[in-house]
Amino acid sequence: MARPEDARAMVDFNQKMALETEGKQLETETLSAGVNAVFGDPKKGFYVVGESEGSIVGGLMVTYEWSDWRNGWFWWIQSVYIVPEARGTGLYTRLYDFVKQKAAEHGGVCGFRLYVEKENEHAQRVYEKVGMEKTYYLMYEEEM
């Protein structure tokens, strides 16, 4: 489980992930406030990190969605980032297994969801390898 002192790493990872996957530059002040809001309010979610030799080399965030159809919680995996030198080492699998363990301890979790860039075929293969499947749903959004 990430700790509040890991917030800077989560900000850095989010900025790198947004630039790498979408070519977006995230505003540091807004992003820092958003990351710290998660650490300040467990109802928003939580972060998980992977470490190697005392350094954080990957992380992700989990948020919650209630499903009335299933009378349970979906845990959304978001903000996944693994530093390039740690990719291909099985770190994401270990992070995902940890999240599944936490869900089993928590109870009431009916599944896991995430979204991935359509062109990010490598990430899609990783998610399929850990047992996730593409869904029937498309995603729409309107930013405010």
Side-chain angles (χ1 to χ4, degrees):
M1 296 293 289
R3 300 175 307 273
E5 54 267 26
D6 300 328
R8 180 65 221 149
M10 299 299 94
V11 169
D12 182 52
F13 287 174
N14 272 291
Q15 288 177 315
K16 289 177 178 175
M17 183 265 302
L19 189 60
E20 184 178 311
T21 61
E22 300 181 41
K24 288 185 178 180
Q25 297 269 356
L26 300 180
E27 202 283 314
T28 302
E29 187 175 326
T30 301
L31 177 57
S32 294
V35 167
N36 284 302
V38 174
F39 283 109
D41 182 359
K43 291 179 183 173
K44 286 183 172 54
F46 62 90
Y47 288 98
V48 175
V49 295
E51 296 180 347
S52 176
E53 299 178 15
S55 296
I56 298 173
V57 295
L60 57 81
M61 178 177 68
V62 173
T63 60
Y64 316 110
E65 174 192 5
W66 179 252
S67 173
D68 54 353
W69 286 15
R70 294 172 179 88
N71 190 33
W73 292 100
F74 276 103
W75 279 15
W76 276 86
I77 297 171
Q78 299 181 195
S79 302
V80 176
Y81 187 79
I82 308 293
V83 299
E85 53 274 14
R87 294 176 188 171
T89 65
L91 179 57
Y92 177 77
T93 299
R94 291 190 300 278
L95 291 171
Y96 185 56
D97 287 346
F98 181 81
V99 168
K100 291 195 297 186
Q101 175 191 340
K102 288 292 175 192
E105 292 168 7
H106 182 273
V109 178
C110 62
F112 306 94
R113 289 182 169 165
L114 59 78
Y115 52 88
V116 60
E117 290 290 314
K118 289 181 261 186
E119 295 82 24
N120 193 343
E121 294 176 6
H122 175 76
Q124 292 172 38
R125 286 192 303 274
V126 169
Y127 301 141
E128 290 168 3
K129 186 177 176 184
V130 298
M132 300 186 95
E133 299 175 356
K134 288 182 183 176
T135 68
Y136 177 77
Y137 304 104
L138 293 174
M139 186 173 154
Y140 288 79
E141 79 174 1
E142 179 182 3
E143 293 190 26
M144 297 184 63

